């Protein structure tokens, strides 16, 4: 095992946390720290980084190879416990970071928390003498690395879907906007990855890019029902969470009934049918709340109850052909409906109204 020994300044933060400031040759960073891109193994979330952006990396590489480059922003690295700090004296905050690298197990001790594109550009640059500022900390777990990644990047223009998908897998207190998404996205993940869910593998997320249903549409549908719909009755107001198993059971029963009611629409992409388009997801979510209210005494309506009630509106639905008849002089071609607040409200009022009049 090789040990990279670099001068470092130890900075105490909090009661027992330390940050280490160092300068490391840019070519060595890829040997001591990897980029953990977000992915899934079965249903388990792994990693936390976004994919590299090749055009941005090329721009940084060209700058590093220019005549007089200067990059003042430090790369942030989370090391595991194999990395140690060695003080010059017992009481000094000046010393050395001892970083193992290129060991026999090919285990890299660090992960890049912030600066993945800079580290990639340094790896590809011809300039072999460029020294990069590094801020490092020693993490106790992968979860801590993930939390630091979110805290560092929460004020930057990261894709919201990536932050939402990471949120359920952290225990730290996030910003209020992200905190509100944790539980709804946890429900979304159950719908996306539970094998008995009709949405199994169908919801498009950063780790499931082949999904055809936008995660934001499902998330809004869940949030609306949690706020004042069918899912609200299983919610714990004190924690903002609730009985997730019952919530998922209700959602699975309903959307299985939707799938079987419009079986020929279920596998169509949103551009070819409005059933799994944002406007369809939100309006059918409101209908789920209305049907659940009618069967309130059953707590969780069964698949059969949902399926029977959905038959009452089938003739009025024009998901992939024809015209919606919203009233006198108010007809809309099926693909004129868009994922806008106005169109969503128009369609959900129509579906719920038709259902209540036929119930």
């Amino acid at each position: 095992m090789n040990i990279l020994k670099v001068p470092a300044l130890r900075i105490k933060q909090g009661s027992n946390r330390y940050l280490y400031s160092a300068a490391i040759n840019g070519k060595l960073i890829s040997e001591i720290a990897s980029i953990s891109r977000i992915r899934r193994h079965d249903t388990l979330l792994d990693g936390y980084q976004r994919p590299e952006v090749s055009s941005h990396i090329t721009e940084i590489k060209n700058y590093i190879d220019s005549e007089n480059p200067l990059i003042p922003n430090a790369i942030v690295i989370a090391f595991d416990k194999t990395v140690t700090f060695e003080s010059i004296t017992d009481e000094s905050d000046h010393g050395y970071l001892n970083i193992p690298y290129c060991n026999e197990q090919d285990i890299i001790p660090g992960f890049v928390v912030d600066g993945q594109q800079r580290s990639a550009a340094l790896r590809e640059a011809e300039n072999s003498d460029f020294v990069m500022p590094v801020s490092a900390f020693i993490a106790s777990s992968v979860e801590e690395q993930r939390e630091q990644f979110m805290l560092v990047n929460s004020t930057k223009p990261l894709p919201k879907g990536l932050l939402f998908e990471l949120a359920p897998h952290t225990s730290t207190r996030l910003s209020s906007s992200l905190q509100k998404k944790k539980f709804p996205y946890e429900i979304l993940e159950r719908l996306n990855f539970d094998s008995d869910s009709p949405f199994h593998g169908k919801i498009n997320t950063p780790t499931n890019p082949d999904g055809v249903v936008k995660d934001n549409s499902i998330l809004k549908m869940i949030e609306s029902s949690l706020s004042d719909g069918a899912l609200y009755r299983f919610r714990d107001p004190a924690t903002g969470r609730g009985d997730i198993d019952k919530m998922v059971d209700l959602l699975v029963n309903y959307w299985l009934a939707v799938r079987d009611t419009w079986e020929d629409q279920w596998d169509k992409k949103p551009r070819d049918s409005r059933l799994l388009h944002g406007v369809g997801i939100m309006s059918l979510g409101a209908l789920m709340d209305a049907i659940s209210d009618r069967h309130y005494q059953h707590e969780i309506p069964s698949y059969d109850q949902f399926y029977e009630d959905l038959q009452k509106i089938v003739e009025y639905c024009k998901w992939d052909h024809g015209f919606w008849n919203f009233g006198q002089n108010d007809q809309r071609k099926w693909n004129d409906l868009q994922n806008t607040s106005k169109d969503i409200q128009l369609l959900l009022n129509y579906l719920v109204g038709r259902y209540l009049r036929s119930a």
Side-chain angles (χ1 to χ4, degrees), residues 4 6-13 17-24 29 32-33 73-80 83-85 96-99 109-114 132-140 144-145 148 152:
L4 177 64
V6 296
L9 172 66
R10 180 175 62 184
I11 304 167
K12 187 175 184 180
Q13 294 185 326
R17 302 300 302 274
Y18 294 95
L19 183 70
Y20 304 96
S21 182
I24 301 177
I29 290 176
I32 62 173
N73 294 337
I75 290 176
V76 180
I77 299 176
F79 286 118
D80 62 27
V83 175
T84 59
F85 178 74
Y96 299 91
L97 277 177
N98 296 312
I99 309 169
F111 292 95
V112 175
V113 172
D114 186 46
M132 191 70 192
V134 169
S135 290
F137 63 95
I138 297 174
S140 60
E144 183 180 357
Q145 294 167 355
Q148 289 298 321
V152 166

Side-chain angles (χ1 to χ4, degrees), residues 169-350:
H169 302 277
T170 60
S171 58
T172 190
R173 178 68 190 183
L174 304 171
S175 65
S176 57
S177 58
L178 279 178
Q179 195 71 25
K180 291 178 182 177
K181 301 292 184 180
K182 286 182 69 170
F183 186 60
Y185 212 96
E186 190 175 335
I187 298 172
L188 180 149
E189 286 194 330
R190 288 281 301 272
L191 292 179
N192 208 12
F193 297 107
D194 284 5
S195 59
D196 62 346
S197 167
F199 286 111
H200 180 68
K202 292 183 73 71
I203 304 174
N204 183 288
T205 71
T207 62
N208 189 45
D210 294 331
V212 297
V213 184
K214 294 294 185 182
D215 60 348
N216 198 45
S217 298
I218 299 293
L219 191 63
K220 287 183 177 179
M221 179 269 294
I222 292 171
E223 289 177 319
S224 177
S225 188
L226 279 171
S227 175
D228 57 2
L231 301 183
Y232 180 82
R233 72 185 67 161
F234 307 115
R235 186 177 180 180
D236 181 357
T239 64
R241 295 178 61 84
D243 191 330
I244 189 170
D245 290 331
K246 288 185 176 180
M247 293 181 188
V248 171
D249 285 347
L250 188 150
L251 287 162
V252 167
N253 285 351
Y254 176 71
W255 288 100
L256 279 174
V258 170
R259 182 197 66 183
D260 293 348
T261 298
W262 292 284
E263 188 175 1
D264 59 331
Q265 307 286 318
W266 189 255
D267 289 325
K268 290 187 176 181
K269 295 181 179 180
R271 67 171 178 266
D272 299 321
S273 169
R274 287 304 187 252
L275 182 72
L276 296 183
H277 188 279
V279 68
I281 293 291
M282 287 298 295
S283 59
L284 286 169
L287 183 59
M288 175 187 74
D289 295 334
I291 296 175
S292 297
D293 282 345
R294 182 168 177 261
H295 296 285
Y296 181 83
Q297 67 273 21
H298 297 285
E299 192 175 36
I300 299 176
S302 68
Y303 161 88
D304 290 336
Q305 289 169 323
F306 278 131
Y307 183 83
E308 180 181 347
D309 280 15
L310 286 171
Q311 305 315 300
K312 299 172 183 177
I313 64 160
V314 169
E315 64 178 294
Y316 305 110
C317 296
K318 309 296 179 182
W319 298 117
D320 68 344
H321 69 280
F323 292 81
W324 292 89
N325 185 13
F326 295 123
Q328 189 175 7
N329 300 322
D330 189 8
Q331 288 190 332
R332 297 280 294 275
K333 190 178 178 181
W334 72 272
N335 59 355
D336 283 344
L337 293 179
Q338 302 301 323
N339 191 23
T340 63
S341 298
K342 182 178 179 181
D343 284 0
I344 290 169
Q345 195 65 46
L346 177 67
L347 184 56
L348 75 83
N349 285 343
Y350 177 73

